[in-house]
Amino acid sequence: MKHVIITGAGSGLGAELAKLYACKGFHIILLGRTKSRLEKAKNEIEELRGKATIFTCNVANYADVERVIEEIAKQFPSINGVINNAGVGYFGNLEQLTEQEINEMIDTNVKGTIYLTSKVLPLLRKAEQAKIMNIISTAGLRGKVNESVYVASKFAVRGFTESLVKEFADTNIAVTAVYMGGMSTPFWEGSNHIKDSSRLKDPKFVAEKIINEDNGQPEIFIDR
Ligand SMILES: NC(=O)c1ccc[n+]([C@@H]2O[C@H](COP(=O)([O-])OP(=O)(O)OC[C@H]3O[C@@H](n4cnc5c(N)ncnc54)[C@H](OP(=O)(O)O)[C@@H]3O)[C@@H](O)[C@H]2O)c1
């Protein structure tokens, strides 16, 4: 059986991708900070007769990422895919953002993606074919008012991803960046940046589009 790690898999897009990949026959390794969310996602996968294992991990913490990959490697010595999906956003005028909010966005969205990718590489290299998929946003394509640091974090992930596409061009590892617009997920809880987030795209719809359009190409655009 093939194994896929999904970060931020306890809610929103990550949980939807997890269910769809499980239905395609992958064993899903669900990562996130909140055990109860991961357990709920695992139960939903098992109700669909899929297979999943949960590991709590803060991807923004290097030592925690090292620990979790060591634990994963004991059970799953080779990994076929990793989806870097965990992300946070804080919005508003630049001077309104707190140090904690700035750090959380950079630490989770940028460093989290880099930490996890670098640590999982030895396991990806053991698979015949492997994939790294980075969930970015249209915020990785252009600047937006009141989204400056979030956009900066997503531009960073775009640069990281584009570089890995080149670095791994002649290897067993395909790398894909995914760009999508707003989705109706817990991402917007506590924010008034979007007037009515319930009118945004259903994350299940976006997950289905990602899976249908994934042919190993370096970029998938759900919106531009
Ligand atoms: N919603 C949108 O409109 C939208 C649009 C474009 C792109 N995106 C991107 O899509 C991705 C998924 O977001 P979503 O909309 O599905 O939001 P979400 O439901 O809030 O999902 C984000 C997940 O990331 C996890 N997470 C956050 N910080 C983490 C950390 N340090 N370590 C491990 N896990 C962490 C959260 O769980 P815990 O808090 O339990 O860890 C949560 O399950 C993000 O990268 C986001 O930037 C979202």
Side-chain angles (χ1 to χ4, degrees):
M1 189 171 222
K2 292 182 173 177
H3 303 99
V4 177
I5 296 174
I6 304 181
T7 70
S11 64
L13 180 65
E16 296 299 337
L17 285 168
K19 280 187 271 189
L20 292 177
Y21 276 107
C23 288
K24 281 174 76 96
F26 290 91
H27 183 128
I28 313 298
I29 300 165
L30 307 161
L31 260 56
R33 292 171 301 179
T34 315
K35 196 172 179 196
S36 57
R37 280 180 150 182
L38 298 175
E39 279 168 345
K40 184 169 174 279
K42 180 180 192 279
N43 288 340
E44 285 176 9
I45 287 171
E46 287 172 351
E47 278 165 20
L48 296 167
R49 299 178 184 277
K51 292 211 179 320
T53 305
I54 65 173
F55 291 91
T56 54
C57 173
N58 177 1
V59 296
N61 181 309
Y62 191 81
D64 207 31
V65 172
E66 273 190 318
R67 171 202 55 84
V68 86
I69 294 297
E70 273 173 28
E71 283 179 25
I72 289 171
K74 282 182 204 153
Q75 284 186 52
F76 311 103
S78 96
I79 295 291
N80 305 84
V82 58
I83 303 180
N84 286 300
N85 165 79
V88 294
Y90 295 101
F91 304 100
N93 294 333
L94 179 57
E95 67 261 38
Q96 287 172 345
L97 291 177
T98 65
E99 181 185 6
Q100 194 201 322
E101 289 168 340
I102 294 167
N103 286 340
E104 204 184 323
M105 283 187 276
I106 302 297
D107 290 350
T108 308
N109 304 358
V110 185
K111 291 189 193 170
T113 299
I114 296 171
Y115 291 164
L116 194 91
T117 305
S118 69
K119 287 293 150 197
V120 82
L121 269 177
L123 306 187
L124 295 178
R125 290 195 204 281
K126 287 187 192 160
E128 199 175 314
Q129 287 291 320
K131 166 155 214 82
I132 297 167
M133 179 181 280
N134 290 340
I135 301 302
I136 307 185
S137 163
T138 53
L141 297 174
R142 58 183 172 274
K144 302 187 188 203
V145 174
N146 289 335
E147 300 196 16
S148 58
V149 178
Y150 180 69
V151 164
S153 76
K154 292 296 186 175
F155 266 60
V157 181
R158 176 184 175 183
F160 176 64
T161 311
E162 287 183 9
S163 300
L164 294 189
V165 168
K166 295 178 179 177
E167 195 165 321
F168 300 143
D170 298 320
T171 71
N172 66 324
I173 304 171
V175 184
T176 302
V178 186
Y179 301 96
M180 73 284 287
M183 297 177 285
S184 177
T185 70
F187 181 87
W188 296 110
E189 278 170 10
S191 165
N192 57 10
H193 183 57
I194 298 274
K195 272 203 187 82
D196 182 4
S197 64
S198 69
R199 298 177 67 176
L200 297 174
K201 284 199 177 78
D202 182 345
K204 184 177 179 196
F205 167 81
V206 175
E208 279 166 355
K209 283 206 91 161
I210 292 171
I211 288 184
N212 289 339
E213 293 184 20
D214 179 22
N215 299 313
Q217 72 275 41
E219 291 167 325
I220 296 173
F221 296 97
I222 308 298
D223 300 294
R224 283 186 194 253

